[in-house]
Structures are given as structure tokens and as C-alpha cells.
Amino acid sequence: MKVLTVAATGILTATTTGVAAADITGPDVASWQHPGGGGINWFAVRAAGHQFAMLKATEGLDYVNPYFVSDSLAMRVAGVARGTYHFARPNLPPEPQAALYATIVLGQNGLLDLPAVLDLEDSGGLPPDALIDWTHRYLNTVQALTGRRPIIYTYPRFWRTAMADTNQFTSYPLWIADYRGNDQPEVPGGWPTWTFWQTTSSGDIPGIGGAVDINVYSGAQGDFGGYANIPFSGSGRGSS
């Protein structure tokens, strides 16, 4: 994602759930990580210890990441668990956006699949009450189409202002962006904890050209292998 610019000082080693999760990390990528049309070496990403990646799929009603299919296939071959996200454009109706996303990702229930993600960092000019309603409608539609409870990606200031710090979404896993280098991210909206934390936008990962966002899993949804449909993980930390 591209809103925040403050760099973090490092990756967390212990989380609000008491689970040491520094080794369950992964980037999130979009077309920006393909400068000049170059590819990502997902084997190098996995060899560097990153077990998952969040991949942009769609935006609004008419954008599809041109590298989505090739990255999805290469990630699976390399053994990198795949999360996919839709960048919300709330000035447009939510149900068609959810349908576009679900059509492109072809489900989020296969091997090495994390649940769907809604990337919510643009209000589309909607006031909080209308944006809250839009978000409910999008999430309900995506859950019906994918069969899994979606993850919400946001950052603290946006949630406090554009969403009026509502606590109506605490049943959804939270992926929070907070680059301030604190021991824990700020968790808005009454969430009891976070599931993924985007700690920096200036990470350096072998196989990916240029700076990239890096995220850490907290353990809040239990065994990562189970959450990401990783076969034969059995370790509480996913496959090694």
C-alpha cells in the first residue's frame, strides 16, 4: 500500500497475543514491484524466510493487477502462502467491486490461501456513516463469495477519522499499517488485537526489486499453517 511514509526500525519479536512471530513475515506487492515489467523471484523470497505475501488483485470496478496471475502461480510453486487484496474505491458501489475481486482471485480456499483482504484507506468522499455502511456491504458480499471471513487493512489515523473510530468491525481480523517503530502498532476501532502488522514500506527482500512493504503475523488467528491452508505444517509456525 502507499499512504504511509514513516519508516519503522525493525520487526517485532513478541506480539499482543504472547506469540513470538518475527519469523512469520512476508511482503505485500503490486505492479510497483515489477519495475520495467521485471518479475519477482518467489523462490528467493521464500529462501529468505518469508512464508507469505499479500498480492494486490483489483481496485475499484475496472483495475486488475496485470501481474496477478503470474505472481499467484509463481508463489504457489515456490511455497509462499498467498493473501490477495482489493483496493477499495468507496465512491463506487461495493457489491460490484466485491464481485470483480472474487472473480479474479477464483476463491481463497485453496492450498496456501489466506482469506480475502479489503484495503481501506480512501473514503471516496463518503462521511463516516456512509463509509461504515459501504464497508459492511463489501465485506458481507466478499465473505458470501469466498466462504471465508475477510481481513481489513487500514491505518490508525484513517480509521479514527474516516471511520469515526467505529468498533463495528472487531469480528474481522485486522491488518494494521503503523511505521512508527514502536513495540506494538496502534490498534484503533476497539479491536482487541491485530493479526498482521505492516511495519515498514522500505524493506529489502531478495528477489524483489526496490523497496517493499514488510508484514508480520501475530498468531491471533492461531497456527499460521492452518490459517494459510499450508499442508503438513503442524508446527504452529507454518512450514519451514
Side-chain angles (χ1 to χ4, degrees):
M1 290 70 168
K2 50 186 180 292
V3 169
L4 303 176
T5 58
V6 181
T9 57
I11 296 289
L12 183 72
T13 57
T15 77
T16 55
T17 60
V19 178
D23 58 343
I24 305 179
T25 59
D28 59 88
V29 302
S31 61
W32 302 104
Q33 279 67 51
H34 294 268
I40 293 173
N41 184 338
W42 288 105
F43 286 98
V45 173
R46 186 66 187 88
H50 300 287
Q51 298 190 33
F52 70 89
M54 302 295 197
L55 176 60
K56 182 173 184 176
T58 51
E59 178 176 334
L61 287 173
D62 57 9
Y63 176 81
V64 177
N65 176 4
Y67 302 98
F68 179 78
V69 172
S70 59
D71 275 335
S72 291
L73 294 173
M75 289 167 68
R76 291 181 187 277
V77 172
V80 177
R82 183 192 70 154
T84 67
Y85 67 89
H86 174 78
F87 189 97
R89 291 298 184 189
N91 59 309
L92 301 169
E95 290 85 1
Q97 292 188 58
L100 171 65
Y101 165 83
T103 299
I104 294 301
V105 301
L106 296 175
Q108 289 291 131
N109 290 300
L111 296 178
L112 298 171
D113 269 340
L114 288 161
V117 177
L118 172 63
D119 178 355
L120 188 59
E121 51 184 300
D122 172 23
S123 72
L126 299 182
D129 285 350
L131 185 57
I132 289 167
D133 177 70
W134 188 100
T135 303
H136 278 301
R137 289 165 57 194
Y138 179 92
L139 294 170
N140 288 340
T141 305
V142 162
Q143 184 164 345
L145 292 172
T146 66
R148 299 182 75 180
R149 197 151 189 81
I151 298 165
I152 296 174
Y153 169 93
T154 193
Y155 60 99
R157 184 174 180 274
F158 180 86
W159 198 267
R160 290 197 315 269
T161 56
M163 296 289 280
D165 208 29
T166 179
N167 64 1
Q168 295 182 31
F169 297 90
T170 56
S171 64
Y172 294 92
L174 173 65
W175 176 13
I176 192 71
D178 188 341
Y179 302 170
R180 291 172 292 183
N182 297 322
D183 290 340
Q184 296 288 334
E186 179 184 347
V187 177
W191 266 285
T193 189
W194 52 275
T195 293
F196 292 97
W197 175 12
Q198 187 179 87
T199 61
T200 181
S201 62
S202 56
D204 181 15
I205 293 180
I208 301 178
V212 66
D213 302 337
I214 297 180
N215 308 274
V216 60
Y217 175 66
S218 72
Q221 306 303 317
D223 170 71
F224 182 76
Y227 194 47
N229 290 338
I230 299 174
F232 314 119
S233 63
S235 66
R237 295 192 174 283
S239 58
S240 58

